Amino acid sequence: MGIKVAKFGGSSLASGEQIAKAVAIITADPDRRYVVASAPGKRSADDIKVTDLLYQLWENRNGSYQPILAAIKQRFADIEAELGVEIGLDAHLAHIEDHLTSGVGPEYYASRGEYLNSMLLAAHLGWKFVDSANVVRFTAAGPLDADQTEARLVEALAKYDRAVIPGFYGATEDGVVKTFSRGGSDVTGALVARAARAEVYENWTDVSGILVADPRIVKSPPSIERVTYVALRELTYLGATVLHEDAITPVRERGIPINIRNTNEPTHSGTWIEATPPVEKDGPAILGVAGKPGYTAVTIHKAQWAGTFGIATVLLRLFADARVAVDLALTGVDTWTIVVPSATLAPALDSILASIRELFAPDTLDVRADLTLMGIVESGSAPRGWVTARLADALVTADIPTHAIAFTGDLHVLAIDTSQYQKAVRAIYSALAETRVVVMKGKPPTPSATLPFGATKRRAESTASRRSQRGQAPLSHP
Ligand code: ASP
């Protein structure tokens, strides 16, 4: 059989009890041969992640760091006792403390959570511990050296049939420890899966897959069963917090599917992320809805502007030169709207506006801040245009003005006032995610042929056919 790489997140390894669940999952399938571990996360809502404690330790290195070090030690001592293993914790912590005044940067400290937790897990499983400092290579300037990392991982994995590898960090050729950005154990998991030529990269967390919408806004949203790498990237970029965004490319390039699973509900199949999942013909019309606040729209209008060559090049270059990423650019007749992150725009705004005035002499130039960019990904189950119509209808019905809207591929992007975001998610969710599309045989598809989400296929079909036999239009979603 193939190899499965299983990455466990901080909440899955937060305590001895959680680690026991992870161990049960690992040992239930002999194909799970490589495990990537995070540092212990929160055990309860008001707990502190070990990684956060480690950053605090470094920040307080010249002052009263002792209580922080004691708290870190206690977390690992508890796990050690609960698992009944012995990894020489005192010596490891003394080593960390010794480094505090040696000028070593924060990344070394931050990495120790993954390092120690992986050692504990490896000891408990009786597996080999492979230190990521030896296999995940960073360049001195910072970014990952993907080729070196691949070569080193392939070599190490060939040596060991089973191993535990700490997530989140690696080292430069000179042995300086570097970390990915927060949540980076996902990236390590993807790199290991790629090097192992895994049949699947399992990412074990505390939710049963990627949820269709934010559960803090809509009640008990279901998880997405299947999604493409592309659609996932769109949702992640526009605010869905699921996987580290750099975790997709390494596995995507090799066509390795990612399966997001729940350590606390291991029988749930979670979400599968792959190149081309089959379209569920009668599934919900959208896969997910997400949003990211902190955007500003710059709108420029000039009479008789359309038809002039090169406006896009000149206009977009102003933003590029100021290192401001353009996340949405729309052009109508004589009008352009550019939507960009407010934080990066702020220092460059005055000079960009001055350049626009000088270069184009616009009739009007408007700046609208406090916007949220929303992403709505279509599932492909609805006829083309169905979601667009329904989306516009839902927003108008909920009295939510949109300042810009675009649709390309399977993604709708819209800019709304941030104050309207929660209302918009609820409206879109109830109009598009809580409904299934039913296209009746022999009849043109109708946008109102829907049933509440969760209604079975049979019920959907029989309701539709009963109605069509009676010559009635199908029910709209309530
Ligand atoms: N422990 C690190 C963090 O809290 C990395 C990770 O868990 O993926 O960000």
Side-chain angles (χ1 to χ4, degrees):
M1 282 297 283
I3 295 171
K4 292 178 179 162
V5 169
K7 179 260 166 178
F8 288 88
S11 57
S12 302
L13 304 175
S15 64
E17 190 190 339
Q18 285 300 99
I19 294 180
K21 290 183 194 170
V23 167
I25 291 165
I26 296 163
T27 51
D29 185 343
D31 291 342
R32 292 192 179 111
R33 287 176 36 194
Y34 301 110
V35 169
V36 174
S38 281
K42 292 182 178 197
R43 292 159 296 184
S44 60
D46 52 6
D47 200 7
I48 306 178
K49 285 178 168 195
V50 165
T51 308
D52 291 326
L53 288 172
L54 287 159
Y55 280 119
Q56 285 177 21
L57 180 70
W58 184 79
E59 277 156 21
N60 290 279
R61 64 195 176 286
N62 296 319
S64 52
Y65 67 80
Q66 282 297 346
I68 305 167
L69 188 63
I72 294 165
K73 187 171 176 182
Q74 195 56 52
R75 290 291 304 264
F76 287 113
D78 287 349
I79 295 174
E80 204 178 37
E82 284 175 88
L83 297 182
V85 293
E86 182 31 82
I87 60 159
L89 213 45
D90 283 342
H92 284 298
L93 286 151
H95 194 66
I96 294 172
E97 191 174 3
D98 282 352
H99 273 71
L100 279 175
T101 48
S102 69
V104 175
E107 295 176 65
Y108 165 77
Y109 298 95
S111 73
R112 296 304 87 182
E114 271 70 14
Y115 175 81
L116 292 173
N117 222 20
S118 300
M119 272 202 173
L120 288 163
L121 183 57
H124 186 59
L125 285 164
W127 289 14
K128 177 77 187 164
F129 166 82
V130 173
D131 189 352
S132 299
N134 301 325
V135 287
V136 176
R137 197 38 91 239
F138 284 81
T139 62
L144 177 79
D145 183 336
D147 292 341
Q148 272 288 324
T149 300
E150 167 95 351
R152 285 167 173 272
L153 274 170
V154 167
E155 197 186 322
L157 301 184
K159 275 197 232 146
Y160 310 113
D161 197 40
R162 286 164 202 283
V164 179
I165 303 134
F168 192 38
Y169 72 92
T172 64
E173 215 175 311
D174 300 334
V176 177
V177 170
K178 297 262 184 188
T179 59
F180 295 109
S181 56
R182 296 300 300 265
S185 298
D186 285 342
V187 185
T188 314
L191 295 169
V192 173
R194 178 190 167 93
R197 311 285 195 270
E199 74 174 29
V200 56
Y201 168 28
E202 292 180 340
N203 191 291
W204 291 86
T205 174
D206 56 0
V207 279
S208 297
I210 304 164
L211 301 177
V212 172
D214 187 336
R216 290 166 301 187
I217 303 176
V218 296
K219 202 164 166 263
S220 314
S223 47
I224 305 171
E225 281 169 38
R226 292 177 178 275
V227 62
T228 59
Y229 300 115
V230 175
L232 178 79
R233 162 101 179 118
E234 290 165 347
L235 284 172
T236 313
Y237 188 79
L238 289 172
T241 47
V242 195
L243 268 185
H244 192 291
E245 57 173 323
D246 296 336
I248 299 168
T249 309
V251 281
R252 180 184 173 177
E253 283 172 358
R254 287 256 156 81
I256 300 167
I258 308 170
N259 185 201
I260 313 269
R261 302 282 290 269
N262 188 349
T263 305
N264 303 314
E265 199 190 355
T267 50
H268 194 294
S269 57
T271 297
W272 282 86
I273 304 156
E274 48 207 337
T276 45
V279 171
E280 246 196 282
K281 277 285 172 247
D282 64 345
I286 62 166
L287 289 177
V289 48
K292 196 155 86 171
Y295 277 90
T296 296
V298 177
T299 298
I300 310 145
H301 176 81
K302 184 179 166 73
Q304 309 298 320
W305 210 14
T308 311
F309 290 108
I311 297 171
T313 314
V314 177
L315 187 56
L316 295 178
R317 172 142 312 277
L318 294 176
F319 292 88
D321 286 348
R323 315 291 303 151
V324 178
V326 172
D327 283 342
L328 183 62
L330 295 172
T331 173
V333 176
D334 300 339
T335 304
W336 273 84
T337 293
I338 313 279
V339 185
V340 297
S342 311
T344 46
L345 176 67
L349 181 62
D350 288 347
S351 80
I352 288 178
L353 295 183
S355 301
I356 290 173
R357 285 194 188 97
E358 190 189 321
L359 292 164
F360 303 113
D363 297 332
T364 57
L365 177 56
D366 296 317
V367 177
R368 184 183 283 273
D370 297 325
L371 298 179
T372 286
L373 214 50
M374 294 188 72
I376 298 105
V377 178
E378 289 201 12
S379 66
S381 67
R384 213 68 177 153
W386 192 93
V387 170
T388 312
R390 195 90 189 179
L391 182 61
D393 184 46
L395 292 167
V396 170
T397 309
D399 200 16
I400 298 165
T402 32
H403 302 299
I405 180 160
F407 172 51
T408 75
D410 54 7
L411 177 71
H412 294 258
V413 182
L414 45 108
I416 58 161
D417 292 318
T418 296
S419 57
Q420 301 282 329
Y421 175 60
Q422 301 213 350
K423 199 166 129 193
V425 172
R426 280 188 212 106
I428 294 167
Y429 181 81
S430 101
L432 288 156
E434 285 189 309
T435 59
R436 283 178 184 266
V437 183
V438 179
V439 180
M440 289 180 297
K441 276 209 185 102
K443 294 232 171 202
T446 161
S448 55
T450 59
L451 277 181
F453 183 82
T456 61
K457 181 178 171 188
R458 209 174 314 118
R459 196 181 133 212
E461 280 168 352
S462 63
T463 308
S465 72
R466 254 186 285 119
R467 286 185 184 281
S468 70
Q469 277 160 19
R470 292 202 301 257
Q472 281 177 327
L475 276 183
S476 312
H477 175 65

